């Protein structure tokens, strides 16, 4: 009743620490909850402002990035026994994509790695911070060990 | 191994929602973790700057506030089956006191209620936000239902 039914683990783009993934898996087991995975490839919108400027945008590079991201997501999903239909690979703003997927899939807990004090993330507004402020469900911020 | 051993539930000064407390208790049970409670009566330091000004500081009011706080803390602790030695009643900055108690008692997860988007807490810097940024352990922000 008070526990969680659907836990979404947000994996960051630079190789999530294994400890965060293991905590999410462990918690899902303890709560008998479904575990889903999301991996957001951070991107800025490309605006063609009509200045007749060649935008140095290489589709091959994007495809390569996404393929690499899918490979890493699938490897982690296999290790955590997360089904194919519970894996999301998105591009865009990590904060917004995580929250959108969470809301569309009745997620009641988002697990996200978090940098602690004095980290650059604090200055720039980390994903954990953004998710904490904007998610409509609970958020577990797992402290990354290299802080 | 990946689970939690000591969970600290930070209760806010204006009557915590029962759902936050129940989630902390449930999680502690699932993890077979010790559950502790902290209740910080927010206060500003009183500075006697030597201006020979009477500071309108009423010790009776403080004692009354603390007695009321202790009463509420004890009632919640009884309901959650938290031992006497695992209850902390502090005055000062909620963020700093929560983090201090967590660090001194090997807490590995802090559970705190959190207001969501558009809340005043977001503008002023909520306790959940402060704890998230400064704690050296994991933080579970439980969304308060009235957002």
């Amino acid at each position: 009743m008070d526990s969680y039914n659907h836990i979404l683990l947000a994996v960051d783009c630079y190789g999530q620490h294994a400890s965060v993934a293991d905590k999410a898996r462990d918690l899902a087991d303890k709560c008998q909850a479904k575990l889903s995975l999301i991996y957001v490839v951070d991107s800025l919108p490309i605006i063609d402002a009509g200045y007749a400027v060649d935008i140095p945008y290489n589709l091959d590079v994007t495809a390569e990035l996404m393929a690499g991201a899918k490979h890493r997501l699938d490897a982690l999903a296999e290790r955590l026994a997360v089904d194919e239909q519970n894996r999301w690979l998105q591009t865009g703003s990590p904060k917004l994509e995580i929250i959108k997927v969470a809301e569309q899939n009745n997620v009641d807990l988002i697990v996200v790695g978090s940098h602690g004090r004095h980290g650059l993330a604090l200055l720039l507004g980390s994903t954990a911070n953004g998710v904490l402020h904007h998610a409509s469900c609970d958020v577990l911020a797992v402290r990354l060990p290299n802080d």
Side-chain angles (χ1 to χ4, degrees), chain A residues 44-57:
Chain A
L44 291 172
I46 307 275
I47 300 163
D48 178 354
Y51 291 120
V53 171
D54 277 338
I55 298 168
Y57 182 66

